[in-house]
Amino acid sequence: LNVALNNIERIENLDGCEALRKLDLTCNFVDVEHLASVRSLRTNTELRELYLTGNPCAKWEGYRPYVVASLPQLDKLDGVDVTRSERIQAVQQLKHLEKHLAVAAEVNRKENE
């Protein structure tokens, strides 16, 4: 599903797309504040490729490990293969990443007020 270059701010309402294998959200407006919405894709068990390149959330230092840990079904993120060791490390860091994401989201929210 290619929804690149739209005004999408959060990832939602795709749970009915049971056969979704590739989701391209390139160059949208998913910010660090809404990065946690990526977890809604966990129910898309066939999803293998996700593209979030060009979204503000991709600038956050914990972006890749957070997404990799949140979506165990992914084989590729932004066109780059997810390795087994990368996934193991990401899962081990997830609690820490969630805390940092909450702080980053709050900072972002205050900056945008």
Side-chain angles (χ1 to χ4, degrees):
L1 178 62
N2 187 341
V3 288
L5 302 168
N6 281 284
N7 293 322
I8 297 170
E9 295 181 3
R10 70 181 72 198
I11 304 164
E12 58 188 1
N13 300 322
L14 293 170
D15 46 341
C17 300
E18 296 142 1
L20 184 64
R21 292 189 56 78
K22 179 179 177 182
L23 179 59
D24 188 346
L25 287 157
T26 301
C27 294
N28 276 286
F29 295 97
V30 180
D31 210 332
V32 68
E33 198 173 327
H34 296 112
L35 181 57
S37 68
V38 77
R39 294 185 68 105
S40 69
L41 297 172
R42 288 186 77 125
T43 59
N44 300 91
T45 57
E46 297 300 314
L47 184 65
R48 297 295 176 259
E49 294 183 55
L50 177 62
Y51 293 83
L52 286 166
T53 305
N55 282 275
C57 65
K59 294 177 184 171
W60 178 56
E61 75 269 357
Y63 157 74
R64 185 171 173 90
Y66 177 80
V67 174
V68 167
S70 297
L71 300 174
Q73 73 272 37
L74 282 187
D75 293 331
K76 285 188 177 192
L77 176 58
D78 298 328
V80 179
D81 288 341
V82 176
T83 65
R84 185 172 183 266
S85 61
E86 177 184 23
R87 186 176 315 281
I88 291 168
Q89 288 176 350
V91 168
Q92 290 171 344
Q93 298 173 2
L94 185 57
K95 292 289 184 199
H96 176 75
L97 291 167
E98 288 172 334
K99 289 177 186 174
H100 279 287
L101 178 59
V103 170
E106 184 61 29
V107 168
N108 188 63
R109 197 172 359 264
K110 287 180 180 178
E111 288 176 355
N112 290 328
E113 285 181 347

